[in-house]
Amino acid sequence: MVDLADLKAHYTRGGLAEKIFAALRAAGKDPEKLTLDDLAPIDEFHSRGREATLELAGFARLMPETRVLDLGCGLGGPARRLAKIFACRVTGLDLTPEYVEVANLLAECCGLKSRIAFIQGNALDTPFEDASFDVVWSQHAAMNIADKAKLYAEAARLLKPGGRLALYDILAGEGGAPHFPLPWARDPAHSHLIAPEALRETLSAAGFEVQHWRERSADGLAWFTAAEEHFAAKGLPPLGLHLLLGEEDFLAMIENLRRNFAEGRVRLFEAIAAKR
């Protein structure tokens, strides 16, 4: 059985909001009047950052007032971007209470509270009614979830007929077990990667038809290689994802992701699947 308390502890830093606001003030930003660009260094807790979010949003065919559920929303960066750029109505759900607290604070500071709500909860057992959303959105969340069948069955339950599941995830490669620590797990206990073929089968069994499927592993390798070189040359910035993961592990996590992509231990895919 998955130890949810241990998983929450992996992501919980303590005092995260204070650290983020201190870094913003040090950069000359007003925490009460933030823009998406001000938050860019921490807003996209996934491979390839903002570019990946905008690409996936394009394939998801988002429109004004589209109701989106972001499963595993983290600090809510993609949710804020979808609400701001595409005028969606976004609900974010995350297991980690500290992430939800900070996500709500940042949405308020960006003037987006009227379009976004963040709540704490489990993606396998959400509190929403059937057919509540047009799009279920998930970026780099499923790696922590062992029961993929239940996860995607829940996503199907939450979607309206014809609704879309937008996925952007790291999957299992054929090169062997990944090197740890990684951003989503410091050891194998909380890492649950699925092979691409198995994911497609699981989606079909849950009632989805894959409409878009593209591998981005080469792009992921290039992105983490550039990140590793950047941090080696310039060090860690005041505001960055190391605030979420801890400076003691962050550089090792980036190095291991680069190695895992280079050695074929992990793969990166984006997908859109429609509920049948």
Side-chain angles (χ1 to χ4, degrees), residues 101-169:
E101 176 188 359
V102 174
N104 278 308
L105 285 172
L106 295 179
E108 185 173 359
C109 293
C110 290
L112 292 170
K113 280 294 290 180
S114 64
R115 306 198 71 83
I116 304 177
F118 296 104
I119 66 171
Q120 192 274 333
N122 188 332
L124 297 179
D125 185 20
T126 70
F128 310 111
E129 295 182 359
D130 294 359
S132 294
F133 299 95
D134 303 300
V135 173
V136 171
W137 178 278
S138 182
Q139 291 176 288
H140 286 30
M143 297 103 73
N144 284 128
I145 299 173
D147 193 343
K148 300 291 194 293
K150 188 173 182 180
L151 171 64
Y152 297 121
E154 179 70 354
R157 182 186 72 80
L158 295 171
L159 282 169
K160 299 175 183 177
R164 300 173 299 285
L165 174 64
L167 296 179
Y168 184 66
D169 275 325

Side-chain angles (χ1 to χ4, degrees), residues 56 59-60 164-167 209-213 270-274:
L56 189 65
F59 289 115
R164 300 173 299 285
L165 174 64
L167 296 179
E209 179 181 352
V210 174
Q211 297 181 330
H212 169 75
W213 182 265
E270 66 186 16
I272 303 293

Side-chain angles (χ1 to χ4, degrees), residues 173-234:
E174 298 177 351
H179 302 291
F180 291 91
L182 291 165
W184 65 90
R186 286 177 168 80
D187 57 55
H190 287 300
S191 182
H192 305 287
L193 304 185
I194 188 172
E197 298 76 11
L199 174 57
R200 293 191 68 133
E201 292 172 2
T202 304
L203 291 173
S204 179
F208 288 101
E209 179 181 352
V210 174
Q211 297 181 330
H212 169 75
W213 182 265
R214 180 164 64 159
E215 182 163 8
R216 306 306 303 265
S217 298
D219 301 305
L221 173 59
W223 196 77
F224 283 108
T225 299
E228 188 177 20
E229 292 173 350
H230 175 83
F231 294 134
K234 298 188 176 182

